[in-house]
Amino acid sequence: MPSIYLDNAATSFPKPPAVAEAMLRYMQENGASVNRGVYASAQEAGMTALLLREELCRLFRHGDPAHCVLTSGNTMGLNMVLRGWLRPGDHCLVSAMEHNAVMRPLQALAENGVTFDRVPCDGQGRMDPEDLRRLIRPNTRLVLIAHGSNVGGGVQDAAAVGKICRAYGIPFVLDAAQTAGHWEIDFDGWGLSALSAPGHKGLMGPSGIGVLLLAPEFARGLTPIVTGGTGSASDLEVQPMYMPDRFESGTPNLPGIYGLEAAAAFILRTGVPVLQAHETDMTGRLLDRLREIPYIRIAGPRERYSRVGVVSVDFQEADNAEAAFRLEKAYGILTRCGLHCAPAAHRTLGTFPQGTVRLSPGWFTTAAEVDAAAAAIAEIACGKGFRKNS
Ligand SMILES: Cc1ncc(COP(=O)(O)O)c(C=O)c1O
């Protein structure tokens, strides 16, 4: 039985073939580090890292590749911002849809005198930026929101939030885990102070690498949470101030840099609007079919626009974990069930504690796969002998 991969919100699969090819080429033919050698292969590795920074800046409309920090992933990028910026006495605003990559560092900081509020979201997971404005306090030092929800797929109005933050002089950080590579993002235009994204989801690169874009002014006030060798200013025992070295200590993930560079080039070549149109088509098709099925509830927005391709299903008569298990075992359909590391989002959408079965189409998903998934869900939702109470 061929499998149908519908878990792109966890990590995109498959990847464009150029990604693995670039990683293999690096491993077999280069093998050098960056900033740490003058020989030709080291220079080439350095140029690939620079090319990647330039491509990511073009993708997110950020003007300065030196402020494109390569991280070990999105969770690291978010920790770098939260832990490097907030101090005891500071107040932070987040949405009611955040991932634990934000909530856990924030809860840890709360033990040290940082306070935070969650801006409420409606039953679809969307926040009214005016509610955010009302929660701003004199000591609010940071606003951080998930751009797209990894539970319901709703997308927040980042431009409107950016406008409010600019008016109050509060740094605004976007967790672009579910929108990078899926949606057009305008770092400079929206007035972002930072954007963090993983390389392995919509950017279609490998895991173990991510990007943290910083606005120069924000970078100047951000303390690195990791310090160490940068291959530069080696006469100094203190962390250099210049970018991106200030936030890039230690030998980086070079296979990851090569893979992500190939992925970013693929995305730029294809164009985000084209990628987004396909995702919208597949997601809309899935939603249209799911709306016809009894005994399930769709958590989050039910329309195809103003969203990403993340569709959460709550089986009303069957256990969600069992449904996901059966989707794989009987139909070869790969989904994710549970709370998706975002309990707050489930509370907002009314699916806590049972969670949901999440289906997330990607660039390589076909209409036939979507139809097969919907047909399987219909059978499970209505299936005899598979009801919660039977
Ligand atoms: C909205 C959101 N934020 C943060 C993360 C954490 O990303 P990673 O696990 O790639 O570090 C995820 C991953 O699912 C996510 O969906």
Side-chain angles (χ1 to χ4, degrees):
M1 177 174 48
S3 61
I4 296 177
Y5 186 79
L6 287 175
D7 198 16
N8 288 277
T11 197
S12 55
F13 185 79
K15 312 287 183 186
V19 173
E21 284 161 18
M23 295 175 79
L24 192 64
R25 192 166 10 90
Y26 167 78
M27 295 295 282
Q28 289 181 334
E29 296 171 21
N30 184 304
S33 192
V34 283
N35 283 0
R36 286 154 178 87
V38 289
Y39 40 91
S41 53
Q43 300 284 339
E44 190 220 277
M47 289 311 288
T48 303
L50 178 59
L51 182 59
L52 171 59
R53 293 182 215 279
E54 288 171 349
E55 286 166 338
L56 292 171
C57 281
R58 236 186 317 143
L59 191 58
F60 298 121
R61 297 191 205 138
H62 180 294
D64 180 8
H67 284 76
C68 174
V69 175
L70 301 176
T71 64
S72 61
N74 194 40
T75 298
M76 177 57 88
L78 294 166
N79 268 268
M80 285 165 71
V81 167
L82 289 163
R83 295 176 188 272
W85 185 259
L86 293 169
R87 299 283 169 266
D90 289 347
H91 175 248
C92 177
L93 282 175
V94 294
S95 82
M97 293 295 288
E98 298 308 315
H99 190 277
N100 275 344
V102 168
M103 294 319 301
R104 287 184 176 174
L106 208 44
Q107 292 288 4
L109 287 164
E111 288 174 20
N112 271 323
V114 169
T115 54
F116 67 88
D117 280 302
R118 300 170 208 256
V119 184
C121 295
D122 63 19
Q124 312 261 292
R126 294 217 177 90
M127 186 182 87
D128 179 350
E130 287 308 312
D131 286 338
L132 181 136
R133 188 199 295 276
R134 276 189 278 279
L135 286 168
I136 290 174
R137 297 192 203 156
N139 63 336
T140 303
R141 283 248 302 155
L142 196 73
V143 168
L144 195 165
I145 61 164
H147 193 199
S149 167
N150 68 315
V151 176
V155 173
Q156 309 293 2
D157 186 348
V161 174
K163 214 166 156 188
I164 294 173
C165 291
R166 252 197 324 275
Y168 288 80
I170 301 167
F172 171 35
V173 181
L174 204 60
D175 172 1
Q178 297 296 340
T179 49
H182 299 269
W183 267 55
E184 298 272 31
I185 290 178
D186 188 356
F187 188 100
D188 290 333
W190 295 349
L192 295 179
S193 300
L195 172 149
S196 180
H200 67 102
K201 294 186 196 266
L203 294 181
M204 291 196 257
S207 51
I209 186 165
V211 55
L212 178 63
L213 286 179
L214 297 170
E217 196 189 335
F218 185 69
R220 277 192 289 279
L222 186 66
T223 303
I225 60 168
V226 177
T227 53
T230 54
S232 57
S234 292
D235 55 321
L236 300 177
E237 283 189 347
V238 294
Q239 193 72 3
M241 275 305 286
Y242 47 81
M243 297 292 293
D245 303 34
R246 184 165 173 71
F247 297 100
E248 287 189 1
S249 292
T251 303
N253 173 0
L254 278 141
I257 287 173
Y258 274 74
L260 187 54
E261 191 285 315
F266 173 84
I267 288 177
L268 286 168
R269 225 175 23 249
T270 309
V272 171
V274 174
L275 297 165
Q276 186 178 23
H278 178 71
E279 184 175 316
T280 302
D281 273 358
M282 292 304 109
T283 308
R285 190 178 182 99
L286 180 61
L287 287 164
D288 287 348
R289 280 157 184 61
L290 292 179
R291 271 195 297 268
E292 306 292 313
I293 301 173
Y295 310 120
I296 61 166
R297 182 170 90 82
I298 298 167
R302 299 174 118 232
E303 75 276 15
R304 66 175 63 199
Y305 298 107
S306 305
R307 63 171 302 134
V308 284
V310 175
V311 177
S312 255
V313 174
D314 186 12
F315 285 77
Q316 305 294 285
E317 302 276 326
D319 179 82
N320 287 332
E322 261 187 82
F325 179 78
R326 211 167 128 88
L327 277 171
E328 185 194 354
K329 294 297 166 223
Y331 304 92
I333 294 165
L334 311 184
T335 62
R336 182 173 170 190
C337 77
L339 293 170
H340 318 109
C341 300
H346 283 278
R347 285 198 164 90
T348 302
L349 300 178
T351 46
F352 188 89
Q354 76 273 25
T356 54
V357 178
R358 185 182 72 182
L359 300 102
S360 43
W363 173 242
F364 294 98
T365 304
T366 64
E369 289 178 327
V370 167
D371 293 351
I377 287 173
E379 284 189 12
I380 292 173
C382 305
K384 275 207 167 113
F386 196 63
R387 295 279 175 79
K388 247 184 205 161
N389 306 318
S390 63

